[in-house]
């Protein structure tokens, strides 16, 4: 069957050598519909973001743009806010015919405003790996709001494998919604995916989100539940269902709708049309099978929105459509669902910062 490959199929790719690594794979690295990618031992500080381009290798381009290289071993290394780094990943792929891959930042990565993308030899797009590709993978990392401390083996990106076309048409999505109730808390807005809107009128209190503070300390990505959020974030309150976004600022907001990904499907969060506003929503775009699924402990899970305003101040209104979920069929139902007996940090979530912070 065509579709997104499930965890057991990814494990088969590893067993067959289609996915290999410089170090043994670790527990939890294979997720229900994706594989976490691990940082290697060195980071290259480069002058600018780049793609390798057809017929070119990433190593060749590093020679052109490298400013200096940093060892990530020992106590790790700080990646400075506003700088661009390239890190060879431990994993490499040799994709079988017909299988392509797409990468994305993990949820905690996006919630820290870490612009993190995968590039490949001969690549002409970020986060896209063509069928038949045989070669190394690299992570481009640009911390936007916070400087971060990283070490080899940290997992900032994840990769999903797809055999053939698996995206649901609007008609198929409507049928699935009728059968499975894909969103709650608002009507289903279907058009090139399932639209979702922003919640600026919470049921209790008037806390609607958080805005990253401009001058903060370093975040060690290995420290979970460690940091006082007040040192990194300002709370945002609204009494009128309205929020004015400041250019260049980064926000954590939440969707009005509760999201449901049935076991036989996966989804990717995609930005809404650019003409609806001067902002970008969501770096981390993968929703695994079982996210928000009641049987996996996730009834009522909402999508956290990672919002960055661009050129001009913009008024965001309660219920405004800000993005869409593109649903895809799984090739097989995963052996284990998101939230069902695995370490799933955001199952059943509402408005929530990354796992590195204590509760406000």
């Amino acid at each position: 069957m065509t579709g997104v490959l499930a965890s057991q199929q990814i494990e088969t790719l590893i067993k067959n050598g289609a996915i290999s690594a410089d170090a043994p794979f670790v527990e939890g690295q294979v997720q229900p519909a994706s594989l976490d990618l691990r940082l290697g031992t060195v980071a290259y500080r480069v002058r600018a973001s780049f793609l390798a381009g057809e017929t070119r290798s990433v190593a060749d381009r590093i020679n052109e743009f490298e400013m200096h290289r940093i060892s990530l071993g020992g106590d790790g290394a700080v990646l400075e806010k506003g700088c661009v780094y390239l890190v060879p990943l431990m994993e490499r792929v040799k994709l079988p015919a017909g299988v392509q891959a797409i990468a994305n930042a993990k949820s905690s990565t996006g919630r820290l405003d870490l612009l993190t993308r995968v590039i490949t030899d001969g690549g002409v797009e970020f986060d896209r790996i063509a069928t038949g590709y045989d070669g190394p993978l690299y992570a481009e990392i640009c911390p936007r709001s916070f400087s971060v401390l990283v070490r080899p083996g940290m997992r900032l990106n994840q990769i999903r494998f797809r055999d053939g076309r698996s995206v649901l048409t609007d008609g198929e999505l409507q049928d699935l919604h009728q059968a499975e109730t894909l969103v709650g808390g608002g009507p289903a807005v279907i058009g090139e995916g399932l639209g979702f809107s922003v919640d600026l009128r919470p049921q209790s209190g008037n806390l609607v989100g958080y805005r990253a503070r401009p001058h903060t300390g370093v975040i060690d990505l290995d420290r979970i539940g460690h940091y006082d959020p007040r040192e990194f974030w300002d709370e945002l309150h609204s009494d009128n269902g309205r929020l004015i976004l400041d250019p260049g600022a980064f926000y954590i907001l939440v969707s009005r709708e509760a999201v449901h990904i049935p076991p036989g499907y996966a989804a990717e969060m995609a930005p809404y049309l650019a003409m609806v506003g001067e902002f970008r929503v969501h770096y981390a775009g993968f929703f695994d099978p079982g996210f928000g699924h009641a049987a996996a402990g996730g009834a009522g899970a909402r999508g956290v929105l990672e919002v960055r305003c661009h050129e001009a101040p913009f008024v965001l209104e309660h219920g405004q459509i800000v993005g869409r979920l593109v649903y895809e069929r799984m090739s097989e139902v995963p052996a284990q669902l998101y939230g069902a007996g695995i370490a799933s940090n955001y199952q059943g979530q509402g408005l929530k910062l990354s796992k590195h912070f204590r509760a406000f």
Side-chain angles (χ1 to χ4, degrees):
M1 294 179 62
T2 60
V4 175
L5 301 192
S7 54
Q8 62 270 22
Q9 295 171 297
I10 294 172
E11 289 169 351
T12 298
L13 290 179
I14 293 172
K15 181 179 179 181
N16 293 341
I19 307 171
S20 56
D22 297 335
F25 292 92
V26 299
E27 184 178 357
Q29 192 175 349
V30 178
Q31 296 291 313
S34 62
L35 173 72
D36 290 349
L37 301 173
R38 297 170 292 174
L39 299 182
T41 59
V42 64
Y44 299 91
R45 169 77 165 90
V46 292
R47 285 186 288 141
S49 170
F50 65 86
L51 289 163
E54 292 183 9
T55 75
R56 302 290 301 276
S57 72
V58 175
D60 288 341
R61 307 313 299 270
I62 290 175
N63 290 334
E64 293 180 42
F65 299 118
E66 177 186 350
M67 298 175 67
H68 62 273
R69 65 189 67 186
I70 307 164
S71 172
L72 302 185
D75 294 330
V78 173
L79 305 186
E80 298 283 353
K81 171 183 171 181
C83 299
V84 183
Y85 302 87
L86 201 71
V87 180
L89 296 169
M90 290 186 180
E91 289 73 28
R92 63 179 291 135
V93 297
K94 184 177 182 180
L95 295 182
V99 175
Q100 57 183 297
I102 179 172
N104 220 313
K106 289 177 63 65
S107 293
S108 292
T109 307
R111 295 185 200 200
L112 291 175
D113 199 20
L114 284 172
L115 180 58
T116 308
R117 304 181 287 193
V118 168
I119 64 174
T120 64
D121 292 342
V124 295
E125 292 182 283
F126 291 108
D127 289 332
R128 299 295 186 270
I129 305 165
T131 180
Y133 177 76
D134 181 0
L137 303 173
Y138 300 82
E140 178 197 279
I141 305 170
C142 180
R144 303 293 303 277
S145 291
F146 313 115
S147 296
V148 295
L149 179 64
V150 299
R151 301 177 183 84
M154 283 185 171
R155 295 179 266 174
L156 306 187
N157 304 73
Q158 55 193 348
I159 189 170
R160 185 174 280 179
F161 302 90
R162 179 190 297 140
D163 185 357
R165 181 170 176 80
S166 56
V167 174
L168 270 62
T169 65
D170 287 348
E172 292 169 332
L173 193 56
Q174 183 66 55
D175 291 341
L176 183 62
H177 175 64
Q178 291 295 326
E180 298 279 1
T181 311
L182 301 180
V183 292
V189 179
I190 294 177
E192 298 184 10
L194 184 67
F196 58 89
S197 61
V198 63
D199 185 2
L200 296 179
R201 285 183 179 159
Q203 294 182 2
S204 60
N206 61 1
L207 176 68
V208 297
Y210 306 97
R211 177 173 52 207
R213 306 189 72 176
H215 307 292
T216 69
V218 173
I219 295 175
D220 183 339
L221 298 185
D222 271 342
R223 295 191 170 184
I224 308 304
H226 175 79
Y227 294 98
D228 182 351
R230 293 167 184 82
E231 297 180 2
F232 295 86
W233 301 92
D234 292 321
E235 290 187 336
L236 298 173
H237 300 268
S238 175
D239 293 318
N240 58 6
R242 182 182 300 158
L243 184 66
I244 298 178
L245 305 179
D246 294 323
F250 179 71
Y251 301 84
I252 296 292
L253 305 175
V254 70
S255 72
R256 182 177 60 160
E257 298 81 9
V259 178
H260 174 210
I261 312 297
Y265 298 85
E268 181 181 6
M269 189 178 280
Y272 204 53
L273 298 175
M275 66 276 293
V276 303
E278 286 293 324
F279 60 90
R280 165 186 179 152
V281 174
H282 219 271
Y283 290 127
F286 288 166
F287 283 68
D288 275 327
F291 181 86
H293 188 57
R302 294 196 284 168
V304 167
L305 311 178
E306 298 142 10
V307 178
R308 176 171 287 279
C309 187
H310 294 322
E311 302 298 329
F314 184 78
V315 178
L316 201 59
E317 307 272 1
H318 174 75
Q320 181 171 343
I321 299 292
V322 294
R324 55 194 166 89
L325 281 174
V326 178
Y327 278 72
E328 298 185 74
R329 293 183 187 84
M330 294 295 298
S331 176
E332 297 178 4
V333 173
Q336 196 161 29
L337 299 178
Y338 185 91
I342 61 175
S344 304
N345 291 292
Y346 305 115
Q347 182 68 292
Q349 70 181 352
L351 177 64
K352 188 175 182 181
L353 297 173
S354 79
K355 61 187 179 182
H356 307 91
F357 299 99
R358 301 193 295 269
F360 254 99

